[in-house]
């Protein structure tokens, strides 16, 4: 852990350049850091200062990696992916959570293609393998009236470390690609695959709306029949996952057969 990455496994721009030519996440908007507080924080700052859509912040390690609701994202150096994308979609504020689903879809596709066949999406922002967390997404937004001004979508993926090296609390729920594949993975190739998928799904969201995203997301999601506890600001409630609705919210079936809609919160598998 925390060793400098070997030369061949780096996310430096010169390593990325031959792997992929992004239109949205283009080379000139690629911001690389050996170590940073939080890529999301940096991307937000760049966006506030006027950085264009497609600005991408990538770091080898983070000293202040963030989860949702002020939680910590453990971010050891040189073995994982930490990236944040600046997006400026012309969408109403209420559609912003869909960007989390788009990023989850891109992430799960990249991880599946790299050989982690059991990777699944859990609403709203997790990629899990057998109930353990492989990747998480953090979407932060600035608004202008009813419209989105900028969104920062951050993705963290556990790649080449071992989950046992995390703190005990995280080690108990996390998993890495190396835990599953028993080999290391080229992070640059994984990042390129993730960005290609993100660019494609984001373009579809803007041109075709949420319907195709919903279909693809559901294909890889933990849904029907999965028992869960939903924890939100208003309390905690148990039920069975039912569906992802047409707006990207979660439908859960309660013990009496009633269906309720979850707009925000944590979904815990039970
Ligand atoms: C998330 O939050 O899952 C969002 C994670 C986003 C991280 C990326 S890294 C690049 C960008 N820059 C940032 O600063 N953040 C983003 P949430 O659903 O709240 O889950 C957080 C919880 O996951 C923590 O409370 C821990 O229990 C657990 N956790 C922390 N680090 C982990 C890790 N590396 N792998 C798996 N689980 C982890």
């Amino acid at each position: 852990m925390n060793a400098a990455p070997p030369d061949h496994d780096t996310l430096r721009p010169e390593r990325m350049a031959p792997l992929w030519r992004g239109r949205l996440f283009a080379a000139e908007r690629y911001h690389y850091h050996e170590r940073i507080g939080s890529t999301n924080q940096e991307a937000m700052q760049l966006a506030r200062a006027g950085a264009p859509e497609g600005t991408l912040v990538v770091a080898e390690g983070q000293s202040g990696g963030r989860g949702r609701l002020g939680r910590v994202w453990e971010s050891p150096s040189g073995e994982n992916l930490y990236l944040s994308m600046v997006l400026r979609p012309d969408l109403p504020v209420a559609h912003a959570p869909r960007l989390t689903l788009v990023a989850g879809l891109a992430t799960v596709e990249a991880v599946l293609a790299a050989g982690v066949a059991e990777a699944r999406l859990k609403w709203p922002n997790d990629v899990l393998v057998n109930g353990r967390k492989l990747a998480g997404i953090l979407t932060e937004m600035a608004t202008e009236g009813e419209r989105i001004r900028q969104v920062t979508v951050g993705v963290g993926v556990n790649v080449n470390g071992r989950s046992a090296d995390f703190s005990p609390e995280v080690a108990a729920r996390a998993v890495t690609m190396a835990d599953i594949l028993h080999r290391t993975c080229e992070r640059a190739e994984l990042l390129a695959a993730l960005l290609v998928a993100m660019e494609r799904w984001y373009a579809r969201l803007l041109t075709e709306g949420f319907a195709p995203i919903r279909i693809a997301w559901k294909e890889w999601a933990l849904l029907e029949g999965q028992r869960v506890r939903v924890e939100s600001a208003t309390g905690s409630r148990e039920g069975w996952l039912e569906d992802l609705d047409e707006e990207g919210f979660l439908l859960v079936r309660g013990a009496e057969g009633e269906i309720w809609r979850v707009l925000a919160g944590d979904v815990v598998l039970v």
Side-chain angles (χ1 to χ4, degrees), residues 222-233:
L222 291 171
L223 273 178
E224 293 106 290
Q226 170 72 52
R227 182 130 178 87
V228 293
R229 186 172 64 249
V230 180
E231 295 172 352
S232 65

Side-chain angles (χ1 to χ4, degrees), residues 16-27:
M16 293 305 296
L19 292 176
W20 132 96
R21 304 242 175 287
R23 285 177 170 214
L24 177 61
F25 305 113

Side-chain angles (χ1 to χ4, degrees), residues 114-116 159-163 175-185:
V116 183
V159 187
N160 289 332
R162 290 302 178 139
S163 53
V175 69
T176 73
M177 290 174 65
D179 288 338
I180 297 155
L181 299 173
H182 305 291
R183 60 173 168 80
T184 57
C185 186

Side-chain angles (χ1 to χ4, degrees), residues 37-41 62 64-69 71-76 81-84 125-126 133-138 154-156 158 166 169-170 173-175 266:
S38 153
T39 57
N40 254 47
Q41 194 178 6
Q62 301 185 112
R66 310 200 293 227
R68 295 175 304 152
L69 305 168
R71 297 179 191 131
V72 169
W73 187 256
E74 293 192 9
S75 308
L81 291 186
Y82 313 107
L83 60 135
S84 298
N125 72 321
D126 289 342
K133 187 151 166 163
L134 181 70
I137 292 148
L138 173 66
V155 184
N158 299 328
F166 288 119
E169 186 247 328
V170 170
R173 335 160 152 206
V175 69
D266 281 312

Side-chain angles (χ1 to χ4, degrees), residues 10 17 29 57 66-67 89 92 100 103 107 121 135 139 146 148-149 163-164 175 179 208 213 217 232 237 259 264 270:
T10 165
R29 296 189 280 277
V57 179
R66 310 200 293 227
T100 303
T107 304
L121 291 161
T139 301
E146 294 292 297
I148 295 173
R149 174 142 41 112
S163 53
V175 69
D179 288 338
E208 297 171 51
I213 315 295
W217 194 92
S232 65
R237 187 169 170 190
I259 305 274
V270 295

